[in-house]
Amino acid sequence: MDAYTKILVAIDLTEEAPQVLQKAKQIQDAHHAELVLVHVVEPVGYAYGGDIPMDLTELQDQLDKAAKAQLSKYGEEYNVSVNNQIATVGRPESEIHRMSEEMGIDLIIVGSHGRKGFQLLLGSTANGVLHGAVCDVLAVRIH
Ligand code: AMP
């Protein structure tokens, strides 16, 4: 098997993120690969269907700032260069696909909750990332 050279790890910045990061780090070390850390900030307007008469710019800015701060904390902890700590705005699945293609990623790592039954019907980010990815995808089971 060829070694992976550029790995993208997608993190949601919850307390579960370190489980995904630790696995990504192990694989990065084993493959002597470059690691790219990505967090996608979802536009606040999406949650309200985009039609509430309110200016959400400030709230969005605060969310972006908080995401960047947390990303940089993880970046330092896991020794990821500043250029490879990426916070972007959009829908997680499509942003992860876009970034992977643009950056020549050969492995995407995401967390997976192993949903069952009804929850499975609602879908998951891991599922969305898998469908449409042009490189390998690893779903790390979150406990
Ligand atoms: P979920 O299906 O939303 O519970 O998320 C499972 C995994 O998808 C997380 O562990 C992350 O790897 C990834 N993920 C979810 N949301 C985001 C996000 N906003 N930005 C980057 N990755 C995400």
Side-chain angles (χ1 to χ4, degrees):
M1 184 185 91
D2 287 341
Y4 291 114
T5 57
K6 206 166 179 184
I7 300 171
L8 181 155
V9 56
I11 52 167
D12 59 8
L13 305 183
T14 65
E15 66 283 356
E16 293 171 349
Q19 293 184 43
V20 183
L21 281 164
Q22 276 158 24
K23 187 52 79 70
K25 191 75 194 161
Q26 286 169 4
I27 296 170
Q28 179 205 6
D29 289 346
H31 288 253
H32 306 291
E34 183 180 343
L35 194 63
V36 179
L37 217 58
V38 172
H39 174 69
V40 185
V41 183
E42 297 189 59
V44 254
Y46 281 8
Y48 303 98
D51 57 11
I52 55 162
M54 205 190 274
D55 184 7
L56 298 169
T57 324
E58 206 169 303
L59 180 58
Q60 187 75 57
D61 284 350
Q62 281 176 7
L63 285 175
D64 290 355
K65 255 195 207 155
K68 282 187 182 130
Q70 184 63 32
L71 201 58
S72 117
K73 237 181 87 194
Y74 282 134
E76 247 175 63
E77 191 178 338
Y78 289 86
N79 208 16
V80 175
S81 70
V82 176
N83 285 344
N84 283 358
Q85 300 168 14
I86 300 170
T88 166
V89 180
R91 293 200 184 272
E93 294 87 342
S94 36
E95 280 304 296
I96 292 166
H97 287 153
R98 186 181 65 79
M99 300 294 322
S100 323
E101 285 172 43
E102 274 180 24
M103 300 186 81
I105 297 294
D106 47 17
L107 176 67
I108 300 171
I109 302 181
V110 287
S112 165
H113 291 100
R115 290 176 172 84
K116 288 188 200 131
F118 184 65
Q119 269 189 319
L120 192 62
L121 289 176
L122 298 176
S124 67
T125 310
N127 248 329
V129 170
L130 180 61
H131 295 120
V134 295
C135 65
D136 291 358
V137 177
L138 173 70
V140 175
R141 180 58 52 93
I142 289 167
H143 299 287

